[in-house]
Amino acid sequence: MASFRFQLLQLLVVLSQGWANNSGLNVQNNYRNMMIRLATNKAALAGIQVLREGRVEVSFDFGASWGTICSTSWSMREANVVCRQLGLGYASKASQGTEHGDSRKYPWGMVGTLCRGTERRLADCIRESHYPNLCNARNHNVSIVACVSHSADLEIGLVDIERTARLEAVPMSRLTCAMEEHCVSADAYEIRRTNPHAARILLRFSVKASNVGTADVSPYANYKDWVWHQCHRHYHSMNVFATFDVYDLNYRKVAQGHKASFCLMDTECRPGVRQKYTCGNTTQGISVGCADTYTDVLDCQWVDVTRVPINRRYILRVALNPEYKLGEISFENNGAECLLDYTGVQQTTRIFNCRRKPLWFKI
């Protein structure tokens, strides 16, 4: 059975590649004369002079013909470039679907687009190294964006990470809620079966997320879709708001953690800016000019370093909005990389030399 499945998978790949070759699409097409536009088949949007949402179309023959886009990853990065090139501001939505038409009626004209998000034009973006398996005859989705004039922009704080870093040994009997959110290493769940009071070594630190943009940060999901977490007695407005990863000096990951944004709120604001958002069931967000600080005492505000070898230097990488669920002006200020000297002892373990870094993107 396993052999049959493998052979079937190979056949599907070959068929997809054959379909791609027959369609004339590849990731090395000539993009020098690329033009882009937004289009839609929604009757409600017909007649709008400046369309701000729709399927993305490209032309390589000065507008004589147009085609849509298919990519393995179509994110806010690519959408930001589209909105910038069209002079429409910033992306508030990036998706692949059929709500503005499908690839049967509007065939793909380009595949494999991959942007950092800082490019001026879509033609400046790179391409996936191989033809995307997702872009086959069974997939009818096209790339979609929505643009807005103003957008939020998260900026990570650096001093807070260094100043608050500390180690703490916590028995798993006190980590029930955190373990429900998978905030400890996988081996902890095996150990708990036979030794439920065994301790985990947690590297705790605070993370400050400031909104330096021109619009408020708002959770991407409608509040009616937020998930109630019974153990913590609060709503999760996002599955992952931040990630914390520890790497060796060759960028091999040795530990990781995450922090669900259970309570986006204005914890501090610039002088003259009034706090607006609180930890409510419908009132979560970060105002322009305000910041939300997740302090080191909160659940999951850590990396589980129990199995990380001691007396070595590592790289701690922290990222805000790592899944690009929130539209932002830029993703260049969402990350931080710090050096971590981990000795296994509170007095000598330290985080230092934090530097602001962009979010990573796949090449």
Side-chain angles (χ1 to χ4, degrees):
M1 179 62 71
S3 175
F4 172 75
R5 289 178 177 173
F6 179 72
Q7 291 175 346
L8 179 60
L9 179 60
Q10 285 184 314
L11 177 61
L12 290 174
V13 170
V14 170
L15 290 175
S16 295
Q17 291 175 339
W19 177 87
N21 292 335
N22 291 334
S23 69
L25 291 174
N26 59 69
V27 292
Q28 285 87 31
N29 284 345
N30 187 337
Y31 299 108
R32 287 179 299 177
N33 300 322
M34 183 193 298
M35 299 169 62
I36 67 170
R37 71 180 184 186
L38 297 184
T40 184
N41 59 358
K42 282 189 173 182
L45 298 178
I48 294 180
Q49 189 171 7
V50 179
L51 193 65
R52 304 191 72 91
E53 176 179 347
R55 65 180 182 273
V56 182
E57 293 189 340
V58 294
S59 174
F60 304 107
D61 52 13
F62 302 99
S65 61
W66 294 85
T68 52
I69 299 175
C70 175
S71 288
T72 301
S73 174
W74 182 259
S75 71
M76 291 290 187
R77 287 183 179 276
E78 289 75 29
N80 259 358
V81 177
V82 170
C83 294
R84 180 180 300 118
Q85 182 172 349
L86 293 174
L88 298 176
Y90 314 98
S92 62
K93 176 182 178 180
S95 64
Q96 296 190 81
T98 59
E99 60 187 283
H100 293 279
D102 61 38
S103 61
R104 290 171 296 188
K105 187 173 182 179
Y106 306 101
W108 299 322
M110 182 171 69
V111 296
T113 307
L114 195 62
C115 303
R116 177 169 179 165
T118 58
E119 297 88 349
R120 293 186 304 106
R121 305 174 305 146
L122 203 60
D124 297 332
C125 298
I126 62 176
R127 305 287 172 260
E128 296 180 42
S129 58
H130 302 287
Y131 188 92
N133 291 333
L134 179 71
C135 303
N136 57 60
R138 299 181 303 278
N139 180 10
H140 300 144
N141 293 329
V142 298
S143 297
I144 296 169
V145 305
C147 304
V148 291
S149 299
H150 303 282
S151 181
D153 192 10
L154 291 170
E155 182 178 84
I156 194 168
L158 303 177
V159 175
D160 306 82
I161 299 173
E162 296 181 2
R163 180 175 52 83
T164 60
R166 61 186 175 91
L167 287 179
E168 183 180 13
V170 183
M172 282 187 281
S173 56
R174 288 172 44 198
L175 296 175
T176 303
C177 290
M179 293 186 76
E180 285 187 11
E181 296 187 36
H182 303 285
C183 295
V184 294
S185 299
D187 68 290
Y189 299 90
E190 294 295 327
I191 295 173
R192 185 172 60 171
R193 294 179 181 178
T194 57
N195 189 1
H197 298 289
R200 306 301 297 180
I201 307 302
L202 308 178
L203 175 64
R204 288 182 170 273
F205 48 86
S206 299
V207 172
K208 181 178 180 179
S210 299
N211 182 6
V212 297
T214 57
D216 293 352
V217 173
S218 297
Y220 66 91
N222 186 286
Y223 75 90
K224 294 179 181 178
D225 297 323
W226 296 356
V227 178
W228 172 256
H229 194 276
Q230 183 63 31
C231 191
H232 281 140
R233 305 291 299 174
H234 59 240
Y235 281 93
H236 284 191
S237 55
M238 292 177 62
N239 289 329
V240 178
F241 180 67
T243 53
F244 318 134
D245 299 306
V246 176
Y247 299 85
D248 66 17
L249 298 184
N250 292 315
Y251 281 97
R252 291 186 291 258
K253 189 182 293 187
V254 297
Q256 66 182 32
H258 84 279
K259 187 73 187 76
S261 68
F262 66 84
C263 185
L264 285 177
M265 62 184 295
D266 296 331
T267 57
E268 59 180 278
C269 299
R270 294 198 309 257
V273 178
R274 185 178 179 180
Q275 291 175 306
K276 184 194 315 182
Y277 296 103
T278 60
C279 186
N281 293 345
T282 62
T283 54
Q284 293 191 25
I286 308 175
S287 301
V288 176
C290 296
D292 187 4
T293 300
Y294 287 89
T295 62
D296 58 290
V297 300
L298 295 174
D299 255 2
C300 300
Q301 196 63 36
W302 63 61
V303 179
D304 183 351
V305 293
T306 307
R307 295 175 60 86
V308 175
I310 63 172
N311 298 323
R312 297 184 187 179
R313 177 165 290 182
Y314 297 96
I315 297 169
L316 170 68
R317 183 171 174 85
V318 182
L320 302 175
N321 188 23
E323 298 177 343
Y324 313 113
K325 295 292 187 181
L326 302 174
E328 296 191 47
I329 292 175
S330 169
F331 299 102
E332 297 295 296
N333 52 356
N334 286 51
E337 282 191 11
C338 313
L339 292 179
L340 164 64
D341 281 346
Y342 177 56
T343 65
V345 179
Q346 164 65 29
Q347 289 77 7
T348 52
T349 293
R350 64 181 184 133
I351 296 175
F352 62 103
N353 198 35
C354 289
R355 296 289 185 267
R356 194 165 287 123
K357 296 286 186 177
L359 292 184
W360 284 349
F361 73 109
K362 296 179 181 179
I363 298 178

